[in-house]
Amino acid sequence: MAEYSMAQAMEQFLKKSKIRFNIQAFKIEEIWENLMGKTIAKYTDSIKLINNTLFITTNTAPLKKELIFQRETIIKRINEALGENIVKEVVIK
């Protein structure tokens, strides 16, 4: 039987658990302003992560268009910040 540290056991649990996406979504919300800037963060209404898809909601039409053009950049920045390829797609609402 293998021995694991508490940190390793928690990491293994989170990798297999659905809780992982909730934790990652919370992390994304925390770092959103640093990644995208204060103006974009100010006009972003919500951010949700569901099955590797990031849903970004805003009521500002020009921001929607800007975010649509930056989808690949958003994916890259978030995945780099999290240290893993969690986000595969971005949907702007």
Side-chain angles (χ1 to χ4, degrees):
M1 190 157 146
E3 292 184 28
Y4 294 102
S5 70
M6 185 61 117
Q8 291 170 326
M10 287 297 291
E11 186 177 319
Q12 290 297 323
F13 170 75
L14 289 175
K15 281 184 179 180
K16 296 176 183 177
S17 172
K18 291 181 181 182
I19 295 171
R20 176 174 170 237
F21 284 104
N22 294 335
I23 292 170
Q24 297 296 11
F26 183 70
K27 286 180 184 177
I28 292 169
E29 288 179 17
E30 284 184 337
I31 62 174
W32 184 248
E33 184 176 320
N34 291 333
L35 292 176
M36 300 306 295
K38 288 184 180 186
T39 304
I40 290 176
K42 180 179 178 182
Y43 293 104
T44 301
D45 297 327
S46 71
I47 302 169
K48 294 180 183 176
L49 182 64
I50 302 171
N51 297 329
N52 298 97
T53 301
L54 185 68
F55 293 89
I56 303 169
T57 306
T58 181
N59 290 320
T60 308
L63 178 59
K64 281 183 186 179
K65 288 189 178 205
E66 181 65 28
L67 291 174
I68 288 169
F69 289 125
Q70 290 190 27
R71 283 182 180 159
E72 293 301 318
T73 304
I74 293 169
I75 292 169
K76 183 180 175 184
R77 286 182 181 177
I78 289 174
N79 287 337
E80 284 177 359
L82 297 176
E84 58 182 310
N85 289 330
I86 260 308
V87 177
K88 306 229 186 280
E89 186 179 352
V90 174
V91 175
I92 313 298
K93 294 182 179 182

